[in-house]
Amino acid sequence: MLVTMKKILEDAKEKKYAVGAFNVPNLESIQAVISAAEELNVPVIIQHAEVHENLITMQEIGPIMLDYAKRASVPVCVHLDHGASFDLCVQAIRLGFTSVMYDASAKSYEENFEETKEMVKIAHAAGVSVEAELGHIFTSAVGGGEGRGAVGAEDFESLEDCYTDPDTAKAFVEGTGVDALAISFGTTHGVYLTEPKLDLNRITEIKNKIDIPFVMHGGSGVSDEDFKTSIQNGITKINYYTYSAMAGGNKVREFINDAGGEKVFFHDIIAAGKAAMKENVKAAMKVFASSILD
């Protein structure tokens, strides 16, 4: 069933679990994620990332995402991830997406605030949830592009310069009216190259200022234990893509190698990759929603 992000995350916040949010740049990804969620009977968020417009456009994949969401036996939110332009966010709303992330985090605080506030007015008028980002989430040079290039800790004078400030977050949320906030506390997009330097207490510090759903972007290299602590501290949405995509890719390579020179059919490769992605996604969901699955 198709629902808004706000509806899904309200339940997650109340019951202290996190909803997995998975980028789905092809049909097989959609099928793998929805099937995994239905088998575990957990809500899920499927996302189209603006950075994946070069793989498939939102106009092409969006209607398919919405169709699978409407027919699913579990609550499904269809979300635009890292929408850096007003135009794409508005297109998503017109298509029927139930949530958009307007990402102006690379701009000045003032620009981020004013533009996000305007997007909230537009989206809320259509009954659509809005996520924004405050702070800087590290991006590795491998598989983690968000359209702004790789960003590491070395790009800042101190970690305080990139982590989300609790007081700033309070002013931002109260002034813009966003439904969820992606916060920075040391996580990394893509294949992590160094051990993540997490400040898990910062989540609690921000939550003490504003009690809304928080989003973790860049879960690469985060241990199951740290995922669970982050959730207990206030994270209710976890973006996940890199490792599921790698699981599918690795399985395809294994499948071809095992063929040993024999004929290989494309539909068999797709089936193998999809099955591996599904198992990887299920494993992540079991960690994120452990409090309602135990």
Side-chain angles (χ1 to χ4, degrees):
M1 68 194 82
L2 179 64
V3 299
T4 65
M5 180 183 67
K6 182 176 182 179
K7 182 175 178 62
I8 282 183
L9 296 189
E10 281 177 349
D11 186 70
K13 181 168 159 295
E14 179 184 341
K15 297 175 182 174
K16 285 191 174 294
Y17 68 93
V19 179
F22 303 90
N23 288 342
V24 287
N26 48 55
L27 173 63
E28 293 72 32
S29 297
I30 297 171
Q31 292 172 329
V33 172
I34 296 290
S35 179
E38 289 182 325
E39 285 190 15
L40 294 176
N41 194 32
V42 295
V44 69
I45 298 169
I46 55 174
Q47 308 184 144
H48 174 71
E50 181 168 349
V51 73
H52 286 157
E53 283 281 293
N54 65 326
L55 300 178
I56 189 167
T57 67
M58 186 177 64
Q59 295 292 334
E60 295 172 283
I61 196 71
I64 303 172
M65 294 167 68
L66 289 161
D67 179 60
Y68 271 82
K70 290 171 183 175
R71 292 188 290 112
S73 61
V74 295
V76 182
C77 165
V78 177
H79 176 75
L80 174 64
D81 183 36
H82 286 286
S85 70
F86 257 58
D87 285 349
L88 198 68
C89 288
V90 171
Q91 286 178 39
I93 294 168
R94 287 175 174 165
L95 269 176
F97 279 43
T98 55
S99 176
V100 297
M101 177 192 184
Y102 181 64
D103 184 6
S105 61
K107 299 181 179 182
S108 69
Y109 172 80
E110 291 74 20
E111 289 175 301
N112 190 1
F113 181 93
E114 292 300 330
E115 292 177 15
T116 300
K117 184 177 179 181
E118 186 62 28
M119 179 52 62
V120 168
K121 289 180 183 177
I122 295 169
H124 282 185
V128 172
S129 306
V130 179
E131 173 189 337
E133 183 175 314
L134 199 58
H136 299 276
I137 294 159
F138 301 143
T139 303
S140 82
V142 184
E146 293 292 349
R148 295 188 298 272
V151 177
E154 67 278 3
D155 296 307
F156 301 91
E157 291 185 9
S158 72
L159 291 178
E160 285 296 322
D161 293 336
C162 57
Y163 287 173
T164 303
D165 175 71
D167 290 322
T168 304
K170 182 177 187 295
F172 185 87
V173 169
E174 291 179 349
T176 61
V178 293
D179 301 290
L181 184 68
I183 58 176
S184 173
F185 53 97
T187 53
T188 304
H189 282 296
V191 181
Y192 78 99
L193 304 179
T194 58
E195 193 71 23
K197 300 174 183 179
L198 303 181
D199 182 0
L200 299 177
N201 290 331
R202 186 168 295 262
I203 305 170
T204 303
E205 292 170 5
I206 299 171
K207 186 175 177 61
N208 288 337
K209 298 284 186 178
I210 40 168
D211 191 21
I212 70 165
F214 297 132
V215 182
M216 176 193 290
H217 284 237
S220 300
V222 177
S223 67
D224 289 356
E225 181 181 351
D226 283 344
F227 270 128
K228 291 178 180 179
T229 300
S230 298
I231 293 164
Q232 284 300 308
N233 289 359
I235 294 294
T236 58
K237 174 178 181 275
I238 298 176
N239 282 25
Y240 190 92
Y241 174 70
T242 300
Y243 287 102
S244 64
M246 285 177 59
N250 289 338
K251 188 63 178 179
V252 167
R253 179 172 56 191
E254 178 187 322
F255 184 91
I256 293 173
N257 289 339
D258 288 348
E262 295 296 320
K263 290 184 175 65
V264 174
F265 294 95
F266 186 59
H267 58 261
D268 290 331
I269 294 174
I270 291 174
K274 182 171 70 172
M277 283 176 21
K278 176 182 173 180
E279 290 308 308
N280 183 274
V281 166
K282 277 179 69 176
M285 288 175 171
K286 288 177 180 178
V287 174
F288 302 162
S290 61
S291 66
I292 60 172
L293 291 174
D294 293 341

PDB file of all heavy atoms in Angstrom, residues 109-110 112-114 116-117 120 132 134 164-178 181 205-206 208-212 214:
ATOM      1  N   TYR A 109      23.711  28.030   4.809  1.00  0.00           N
ATOM      2  CA  TYR A 109      22.593  27.717   5.705  1.00  0.00           C
ATOM      3  C   TYR A 109      21.365  28.544   5.341  1.00  0.00           C
ATOM      4  O   TYR A 109      20.244  28.024   5.313  1.00  0.00           O
ATOM      5  CB  TYR A 109      22.976  27.987   7.161  1.00  0.00           C
ATOM      6  CG  TYR A 109      21.798  27.863   8.107  1.00  0.00           C
ATOM      7  CD1 TYR A 109      21.364  26.619   8.547  1.00  0.00           C
ATOM      8  CD2 TYR A 109      21.092  28.999   8.518  1.00  0.00           C
ATOM      9  CE1 TYR A 109      20.267  26.496   9.379  1.00  0.00           C
ATOM     10  CE2 TYR A 109      19.990  28.889   9.353  1.00  0.00           C
ATOM     11  CZ  TYR A 109      19.587  27.629   9.780  1.00  0.00           C
ATOM     12  OH  TYR A 109      18.485  27.523  10.600  1.00  0.00           O
ATOM     13  N   GLU A 110      21.584  29.808   5.039  1.00  0.00           N
ATOM     14  CA  GLU A 110      20.465  30.699   4.730  1.00  0.00           C
ATOM     15  C   GLU A 110      19.715  30.242   3.476  1.00  0.00           C
ATOM     16  O   GLU A 110      18.482  30.223   3.446  1.00  0.00           O
ATOM     17  CB  GLU A 110      20.967  32.132   4.543  1.00  0.00           C
ATOM     18  CG  GLU A 110      21.480  32.807   5.816  1.00  0.00           C
ATOM     19  CD  GLU A 110      22.833  32.301   6.264  1.00  0.00           C
ATOM     20  OE1 GLU A 110      23.564  31.707   5.427  1.00  0.00           O
ATOM     21  OE2 GLU A 110      23.176  32.480   7.456  1.00  0.00           O
ATOM     22  N   ASN A 112      19.762  27.161   2.205  1.00  0.00           N
ATOM     23  CA  ASN A 112      19.150  25.871   2.541  1.00  0.00           C
ATOM     24  C   ASN A 112      17.835  26.093   3.281  1.00  0.00           C
ATOM     25  O   ASN A 112      16.803  25.490   2.953  1.00  0.00           O
ATOM     26  CB  ASN A 112      20.120  25.044   3.396  1.00  0.00           C
ATOM     27  CG  ASN A 112      19.671  23.600   3.591  1.00  0.00           C
ATOM     28  OD1 ASN A 112      18.638  23.161   3.092  1.00  0.00           O
ATOM     29  ND2 ASN A 112      20.468  22.847   4.323  1.00  0.00           N
ATOM     30  N   PHE A 113      17.846  26.985   4.233  1.00  0.00           N
ATOM     31  CA  PHE A 113      16.661  27.274   5.044  1.00  0.00           C
ATOM     32  C   PHE A 113      15.522  27.813   4.179  1.00  0.00           C
ATOM     33  O   PHE A 113      14.399  27.294   4.209  1.00  0.00           O
ATOM     34  CB  PHE A 113      17.016  28.283   6.137  1.00  0.00           C
ATOM     35  CG  PHE A 113      15.879  28.641   7.049  1.00  0.00           C
ATOM     36  CD1 PHE A 113      15.679  27.951   8.232  1.00  0.00           C
ATOM     37  CD2 PHE A 113      14.997  29.667   6.731  1.00  0.00           C
ATOM     38  CE1 PHE A 113      14.624  28.281   9.079  1.00  0.00           C
ATOM     39  CE2 PHE A 113      13.936  30.007   7.557  1.00  0.00           C
ATOM     40  CZ  PHE A 113      13.757  29.296   8.742  1.00  0.00           C
ATOM     41  N   GLU A 114      15.787  28.858   3.415  1.00  0.00           N
ATOM     42  CA  GLU A 114      14.728  29.516   2.644  1.00  0.00           C
ATOM     43  C   GLU A 114      14.173  28.611   1.544  1.00  0.00           C
ATOM     44  O   GLU A 114      12.962  28.550   1.324  1.00  0.00           O
ATOM     45  CB  GLU A 114      15.249  30.823   2.048  1.00  0.00           C
ATOM     46  CG  GLU A 114      15.547  31.910   3.078  1.00  0.00           C
ATOM     47  CD  GLU A 114      14.323  32.306   3.893  1.00  0.00           C
ATOM     48  OE1 GLU A 114      13.192  32.222   3.363  1.00  0.00           O
ATOM     49  OE2 GLU A 114      14.502  32.716   5.055  1.00  0.00           O
ATOM     50  N   THR A 116      14.311  25.276   1.384  1.00  0.00           N
ATOM     51  CA  THR A 116      13.611  24.129   1.979  1.00  0.00           C
ATOM     52  C   THR A 116      12.234  24.551   2.488  1.00  0.00           C
ATOM     53  O   THR A 116      11.245  23.831   2.302  1.00  0.00           O
ATOM     54  CB  THR A 116      14.438  23.532   3.134  1.00  0.00           C
ATOM     55  OG1 THR A 116      15.702  23.092   2.633  1.00  0.00           O
ATOM     56  CG2 THR A 116      13.699  22.359   3.768  1.00  0.00           C
ATOM     57  N   LYS A 117      12.165  25.720   3.088  1.00  0.00           N
ATOM     58  CA  LYS A 117      10.892  26.236   3.578  1.00  0.00           C
ATOM     59  C   LYS A 117       9.885  26.362   2.438  1.00  0.00           C
ATOM     60  O   LYS A 117       8.700  26.019   2.593  1.00  0.00           O
ATOM     61  CB  LYS A 117      11.114  27.598   4.247  1.00  0.00           C
ATOM     62  CG  LYS A 117       9.878  28.213   4.886  1.00  0.00           C
ATOM     63  CD  LYS A 117      10.236  29.529   5.571  1.00  0.00           C
ATOM     64  CE  LYS A 117       9.021  30.180   6.198  1.00  0.00           C
ATOM     65  NZ  LYS A 117       9.378  31.480   6.846  1.00  0.00           N
ATOM     66  N   VAL A 120       8.715  22.890   1.342  1.00  0.00           N
ATOM     67  CA  VAL A 120       7.752  22.333   2.298  1.00  0.00           C
ATOM     68  C   VAL A 120       6.350  22.858   2.008  1.00  0.00           C
ATOM     69  O   VAL A 120       5.372  22.103   2.032  1.00  0.00           O
ATOM     70  CB  VAL A 120       8.174  22.657   3.752  1.00  0.00           C
ATOM     71  CG1 VAL A 120       7.036  22.334   4.731  1.00  0.00           C
ATOM     72  CG2 VAL A 120       9.415  21.868   4.133  1.00  0.00           C
ATOM     73  N   ALA A 132      14.890  16.976   4.591  1.00  0.00           N
ATOM     74  CA  ALA A 132      15.971  17.895   4.246  1.00  0.00           C
ATOM     75  C   ALA A 132      17.249  17.403   4.910  1.00  0.00           C
ATOM     76  O   ALA A 132      17.231  16.450   5.690  1.00  0.00           O
ATOM     77  CB  ALA A 132      15.637  19.313   4.705  1.00  0.00           C
ATOM     78  N   LEU A 134      20.978  18.653   6.894  1.00  0.00           N
ATOM     79  CA  LEU A 134      21.727  19.710   7.557  1.00  0.00           C
ATOM     80  C   LEU A 134      23.048  19.124   8.031  1.00  0.00           C
ATOM     81  O   LEU A 134      23.073  18.128   8.760  1.00  0.00           O
ATOM     82  CB  LEU A 134      20.929  20.259   8.749  1.00  0.00           C
ATOM     83  CG  LEU A 134      21.306  21.631   9.288  1.00  0.00           C
ATOM     84  CD1 LEU A 134      21.213  22.707   8.209  1.00  0.00           C
ATOM     85  CD2 LEU A 134      20.397  21.999  10.459  1.00  0.00           C
ATOM     86  N   THR A 164      26.174  17.950  12.301  1.00  0.00           N
ATOM     87  CA  THR A 164      24.985  18.783  12.500  1.00  0.00           C
ATOM     88  C   THR A 164      24.970  19.356  13.919  1.00  0.00           C
ATOM     89  O   THR A 164      25.110  18.628  14.898  1.00  0.00           O
ATOM     90  CB  THR A 164      23.707  17.960  12.268  1.00  0.00           C
ATOM     91  OG1 THR A 164      23.756  17.408  10.953  1.00  0.00           O
ATOM     92  CG2 THR A 164      22.469  18.825  12.411  1.00  0.00           C
ATOM     93  N   ASP A 165      24.792  20.666  13.997  1.00  0.00           N
ATOM     94  CA  ASP A 165      24.741  21.352  15.297  1.00  0.00           C
ATOM     95  C   ASP A 165      23.308  21.285  15.851  1.00  0.00           C
ATOM     96  O   ASP A 165      22.357  21.633  15.145  1.00  0.00           O
ATOM     97  CB  ASP A 165      25.162  22.814  15.134  1.00  0.00           C
ATOM     98  CG  ASP A 165      25.004  23.597  16.415  1.00  0.00           C
ATOM     99  OD1 ASP A 165      25.787  23.371  17.340  1.00  0.00           O
ATOM    100  OD2 ASP A 165      24.054  24.415  16.481  1.00  0.00           O
ATOM    101  N   PRO A 166      23.120  20.836  17.102  1.00  0.00           N
ATOM    102  CA  PRO A 166      21.775  20.673  17.675  1.00  0.00           C
ATOM    103  C   PRO A 166      20.943  21.954  17.666  1.00  0.00           C
ATOM    104  O   PRO A 166      19.754  21.926  17.320  1.00  0.00           O
ATOM    105  CB  PRO A 166      22.055  20.183  19.095  1.00  0.00           C
ATOM    106  CG  PRO A 166      23.369  19.484  19.002  1.00  0.00           C
ATOM    107  CD  PRO A 166      24.153  20.286  18.007  1.00  0.00           C
ATOM    108  N   ASP A 167      21.534  23.070  18.047  1.00  0.00           N
ATOM    109  CA  ASP A 167      20.774  24.314  18.089  1.00  0.00           C
ATOM    110  C   ASP A 167      20.387  24.793  16.685  1.00  0.00           C
ATOM    111  O   ASP A 167      19.270  25.286  16.474  1.00  0.00           O
ATOM    112  CB  ASP A 167      21.590  25.406  18.799  1.00  0.00           C
ATOM    113  CG  ASP A 167      21.721  25.150  20.297  1.00  0.00           C
ATOM    114  OD1 ASP A 167      20.736  24.683  20.902  1.00  0.00           O
ATOM    115  OD2 ASP A 167      22.809  25.397  20.849  1.00  0.00           O
ATOM    116  N   THR A 168      21.301  24.621  15.750  1.00  0.00           N
ATOM    117  CA  THR A 168      21.002  24.992  14.368  1.00  0.00           C
ATOM    118  C   THR A 168      19.894  24.108  13.808  1.00  0.00           C
ATOM    119  O   THR A 168      18.999  24.574  13.098  1.00  0.00           O
ATOM    120  CB  THR A 168      22.264  24.867  13.489  1.00  0.00           C
ATOM    121  OG1 THR A 168      23.313  25.653  14.051  1.00  0.00           O
ATOM    122  CG2 THR A 168      21.987  25.333  12.074  1.00  0.00           C
ATOM    123  N   ALA A 169      19.953  22.818  14.150  1.00  0.00           N
ATOM    124  CA  ALA A 169      18.928  21.874  13.690  1.00  0.00           C
ATOM    125  C   ALA A 169      17.556  22.270  14.228  1.00  0.00           C
ATOM    126  O   ALA A 169      16.553  22.213  13.505  1.00  0.00           O
ATOM    127  CB  ALA A 169      19.278  20.457  14.135  1.00  0.00           C
ATOM    128  N   LYS A 170      17.498  22.688  15.466  1.00  0.00           N
ATOM    129  CA  LYS A 170      16.231  23.101  16.083  1.00  0.00           C
ATOM    130  C   LYS A 170      15.634  24.292  15.329  1.00  0.00           C
ATOM    131  O   LYS A 170      14.439  24.303  14.972  1.00  0.00           O
ATOM    132  CB  LYS A 170      16.450  23.460  17.552  1.00  0.00           C
ATOM    133  CG  LYS A 170      15.183  23.868  18.305  1.00  0.00           C
ATOM    134  CD  LYS A 170      15.520  24.122  19.776  1.00  0.00           C
ATOM    135  CE  LYS A 170      14.258  24.364  20.602  1.00  0.00           C
ATOM    136  NZ  LYS A 170      13.537  25.589  20.230  1.00  0.00           N
ATOM    137  N   ALA A 171      16.462  25.290  15.077  1.00  0.00           N
ATOM    138  CA  ALA A 171      15.991  26.477  14.360  1.00  0.00           C
ATOM    139  C   ALA A 171      15.554  26.125  12.942  1.00  0.00           C
ATOM    140  O   ALA A 171      14.538  26.632  12.445  1.00  0.00           O
ATOM    141  CB  ALA A 171      17.098  27.536  14.324  1.00  0.00           C
ATOM    142  N   PHE A 172      16.295  25.240  12.299  1.00  0.00           N
ATOM    143  CA  PHE A 172      16.005  24.843  10.923  1.00  0.00           C
ATOM    144  C   PHE A 172      14.666  24.114  10.832  1.00  0.00           C
ATOM    145  O   PHE A 172      13.812  24.445  10.000  1.00  0.00           O
ATOM    146  CB  PHE A 172      17.131  23.951  10.397  1.00  0.00           C
ATOM    147  CG  PHE A 172      16.998  23.567   8.949  1.00  0.00           C
ATOM    148  CD1 PHE A 172      17.513  24.386   7.952  1.00  0.00           C
ATOM    149  CD2 PHE A 172      16.367  22.390   8.576  1.00  0.00           C
ATOM    150  CE1 PHE A 172      17.399  24.048   6.609  1.00  0.00           C
ATOM    151  CE2 PHE A 172      16.246  22.033   7.246  1.00  0.00           C
ATOM    152  CZ  PHE A 172      16.764  22.859   6.254  1.00  0.00           C
ATOM    153  N   VAL A 173      14.467  23.142  11.700  1.00  0.00           N
ATOM    154  CA  VAL A 173      13.228  22.337  11.674  1.00  0.00           C
ATOM    155  C   VAL A 173      12.013  23.191  12.028  1.00  0.00           C
ATOM    156  O   VAL A 173      10.975  23.123  11.367  1.00  0.00           O
ATOM    157  CB  VAL A 173      13.351  21.136  12.628  1.00  0.00           C
ATOM    158  CG1 VAL A 173      12.002  20.461  12.819  1.00  0.00           C
ATOM    159  CG2 VAL A 173      14.359  20.137  12.085  1.00  0.00           C
ATOM    160  N   GLU A 174      12.133  23.997  13.071  1.00  0.00           N
ATOM    161  CA  GLU A 174      11.006  24.827  13.498  1.00  0.00           C
ATOM    162  C   GLU A 174      10.666  25.885  12.445  1.00  0.00           C
ATOM    163  O   GLU A 174       9.500  26.248  12.272  1.00  0.00           O
ATOM    164  CB  GLU A 174      11.327  25.481  14.844  1.00  0.00           C
ATOM    165  CG  GLU A 174      11.369  24.466  15.998  1.00  0.00           C
ATOM    166  CD  GLU A 174      11.712  25.114  17.327  1.00  0.00           C
ATOM    167  OE1 GLU A 174      12.117  26.305  17.331  1.00  0.00           O
ATOM    168  OE2 GLU A 174      11.587  24.437  18.365  1.00  0.00           O
ATOM    169  N   GLY A 175      11.683  26.362  11.724  1.00  0.00           N
ATOM    170  CA  GLY A 175      11.446  27.412  10.739  1.00  0.00           C
ATOM    171  C   GLY A 175      10.973  26.910   9.394  1.00  0.00           C
ATOM    172  O   GLY A 175      10.275  27.632   8.678  1.00  0.00           O
ATOM    173  N   THR A 176      11.348  25.674   9.031  1.00  0.00           N
ATOM    174  CA  THR A 176      10.991  25.152   7.708  1.00  0.00           C
ATOM    175  C   THR A 176       9.773  24.231   7.747  1.00  0.00           C
ATOM    176  O   THR A 176       9.057  24.110   6.762  1.00  0.00           O
ATOM    177  CB  THR A 176      12.160  24.365   7.088  1.00  0.00           C
ATOM    178  OG1 THR A 176      12.485  23.244   7.937  1.00  0.00           O
ATOM    179  CG2 THR A 176      13.385  25.258   6.909  1.00  0.00           C
ATOM    180  N   GLY A 177       9.571  23.533   8.860  1.00  0.00           N
ATOM    181  CA  GLY A 177       8.455  22.604   8.975  1.00  0.00           C
ATOM    182  C   GLY A 177       8.683  21.257   8.300  1.00  0.00           C
ATOM    183  O   GLY A 177       7.725  20.552   7.968  1.00  0.00           O
ATOM    184  N   VAL A 178       9.956  20.866   8.096  1.00  0.00           N
ATOM    185  CA  VAL A 178      10.247  19.581   7.453  1.00  0.00           C
ATOM    186  C   VAL A 178       9.733  18.420   8.316  1.00  0.00           C
ATOM    187  O   VAL A 178       9.624  18.531   9.538  1.00  0.00           O
ATOM    188  CB  VAL A 178      11.756  19.388   7.194  1.00  0.00           C
ATOM    189  CG1 VAL A 178      12.244  20.373   6.150  1.00  0.00           C
ATOM    190  CG2 VAL A 178      12.559  19.502   8.478  1.00  0.00           C
ATOM    191  N   LEU A 181      14.645  14.944   9.105  1.00  0.00           N
ATOM    192  CA  LEU A 181      15.907  15.649   8.901  1.00  0.00           C
ATOM    193  C   LEU A 181      17.060  14.658   8.829  1.00  0.00           C
ATOM    194  O   LEU A 181      17.267  13.857   9.738  1.00  0.00           O
ATOM    195  CB  LEU A 181      16.162  16.642  10.036  1.00  0.00           C
ATOM    196  CG  LEU A 181      17.416  17.514   9.896  1.00  0.00           C
ATOM    197  CD1 LEU A 181      17.263  18.496   8.734  1.00  0.00           C
ATOM    198  CD2 LEU A 181      17.689  18.281  11.196  1.00  0.00           C
ATOM    199  N   GLU A 205      21.662  14.367  21.371  1.00  0.00           N
ATOM    200  CA  GLU A 205      21.717  15.809  21.640  1.00  0.00           C
ATOM    201  C   GLU A 205      20.746  16.568  20.738  1.00  0.00           C
ATOM    202  O   GLU A 205      20.073  17.510  21.179  1.00  0.00           O
ATOM    203  CB  GLU A 205      23.148  16.321  21.438  1.00  0.00           C
ATOM    204  CG  GLU A 205      24.141  15.801  22.473  1.00  0.00           C
ATOM    205  CD  GLU A 205      25.586  16.136  22.104  1.00  0.00           C
ATOM    206  OE1 GLU A 205      25.790  16.847  21.091  1.00  0.00           O
ATOM    207  OE2 GLU A 205      26.491  15.680  22.813  1.00  0.00           O
ATOM    208  N   ILE A 206      20.671  16.152  19.480  1.00  0.00           N
ATOM    209  CA  ILE A 206      19.742  16.803  18.546  1.00  0.00           C
ATOM    210  C   ILE A 206      18.303  16.446  18.903  1.00  0.00           C
ATOM    211  O   ILE A 206      17.408  17.305  18.880  1.00  0.00           O
ATOM    212  CB  ILE A 206      20.060  16.408  17.087  1.00  0.00           C
ATOM    213  CG1 ILE A 206      21.478  16.850  16.716  1.00  0.00           C
ATOM    214  CG2 ILE A 206      19.046  17.031  16.126  1.00  0.00           C
ATOM    215  CD1 ILE A 206      21.961  16.324  15.374  1.00  0.00           C
ATOM    216  N   ASN A 208      17.106  15.817  21.769  1.00  0.00           N
ATOM    217  CA  ASN A 208      16.701  16.574  22.964  1.00  0.00           C
ATOM    218  C   ASN A 208      16.220  17.973  22.617  1.00  0.00           C
ATOM    219  O   ASN A 208      15.505  18.612  23.393  1.00  0.00           O
ATOM    220  CB  ASN A 208      17.864  16.662  23.961  1.00  0.00           C
ATOM    221  CG  ASN A 208      18.142  15.336  24.650  1.00  0.00           C
ATOM    222  OD1 ASN A 208      17.267  14.475  24.732  1.00  0.00           O
ATOM    223  ND2 ASN A 208      19.355  15.171  25.151  1.00  0.00           N
ATOM    224  N   LYS A 209      16.607  18.457  21.436  1.00  0.00           N
ATOM    225  CA  LYS A 209      16.190  19.788  20.977  1.00  0.00           C
ATOM    226  C   LYS A 209      14.919  19.732  20.130  1.00  0.00           C
ATOM    227  O   LYS A 209      14.056  20.599  20.233  1.00  0.00           O
ATOM    228  CB  LYS A 209      17.318  20.419  20.137  1.00  0.00           C
ATOM    229  CG  LYS A 209      18.623  20.657  20.892  1.00  0.00           C
ATOM    230  CD  LYS A 209      18.524  21.850  21.810  1.00  0.00           C
ATOM    231  CE  LYS A 209      19.885  22.147  22.446  1.00  0.00           C
ATOM    232  NZ  LYS A 209      19.849  23.347  23.322  1.00  0.00           N
ATOM    233  N   ILE A 210      14.814  18.704  19.283  1.00  0.00           N
ATOM    234  CA  ILE A 210      13.668  18.574  18.367  1.00  0.00           C
ATOM    235  C   ILE A 210      13.297  17.095  18.253  1.00  0.00           C
ATOM    236  O   ILE A 210      14.139  16.265  17.930  1.00  0.00           O
ATOM    237  CB  ILE A 210      13.985  19.131  16.957  1.00  0.00           C
ATOM    238  CG1 ILE A 210      15.417  18.763  16.531  1.00  0.00           C
ATOM    239  CG2 ILE A 210      13.729  20.610  16.878  1.00  0.00           C
ATOM    240  CD1 ILE A 210      15.699  19.021  15.085  1.00  0.00           C
ATOM    241  N   ASP A 211      12.061  16.785  18.481  1.00  0.00           N
ATOM    242  CA  ASP A 211      11.622  15.387  18.500  1.00  0.00           C
ATOM    243  C   ASP A 211      10.907  15.026  17.201  1.00  0.00           C
ATOM    244  O   ASP A 211       9.693  14.836  17.159  1.00  0.00           O
ATOM    245  CB  ASP A 211      10.705  15.153  19.704  1.00  0.00           C
ATOM    246  CG  ASP A 211      10.432  13.680  19.932  1.00  0.00           C
ATOM    247  OD1 ASP A 211      11.231  12.855  19.454  1.00  0.00           O
ATOM    248  OD2 ASP A 211       9.428  13.350  20.580  1.00  0.00           O
ATOM    249  N   ILE A 212      11.702  14.952  16.110  1.00  0.00           N
ATOM    250  CA  ILE A 212      11.143  14.530  14.821  1.00  0.00           C
ATOM    251  C   ILE A 212      11.976  13.346  14.312  1.00  0.00           C
ATOM    252  O   ILE A 212      13.060  13.067  14.848  1.00  0.00           O
ATOM    253  CB  ILE A 212      11.145  15.663  13.770  1.00  0.00           C
ATOM    254  CG1 ILE A 212      12.569  15.990  13.319  1.00  0.00           C
ATOM    255  CG2 ILE A 212      10.427  16.894  14.278  1.00  0.00           C
ATOM    256  CD1 ILE A 212      12.622  16.817  12.055  1.00  0.00           C
ATOM    257  N   PHE A 214      14.700  11.310  12.448  1.00  0.00           N
ATOM    258  CA  PHE A 214      16.005  11.621  11.892  1.00  0.00           C
ATOM    259  C   PHE A 214      16.414  10.545  10.892  1.00  0.00           C
ATOM    260  O   PHE A 214      16.044   9.382  11.023  1.00  0.00           O
ATOM    261  CB  PHE A 214      17.069  11.737  12.992  1.00  0.00           C
ATOM    262  CG  PHE A 214      16.811  12.845  13.962  1.00  0.00           C
ATOM    263  CD1 PHE A 214      16.883  12.627  15.323  1.00  0.00           C
ATOM    264  CD2 PHE A 214      16.489  14.118  13.515  1.00  0.00           C
ATOM    265  CE1 PHE A 214      16.631  13.643  16.226  1.00  0.00           C
ATOM    266  CE2 PHE A 214      16.243  15.147  14.397  1.00  0.00           C
ATOM    267  CZ  PHE A 214      16.313  14.909  15.771  1.00  0.00           C
TER     268      PHE A 214
END
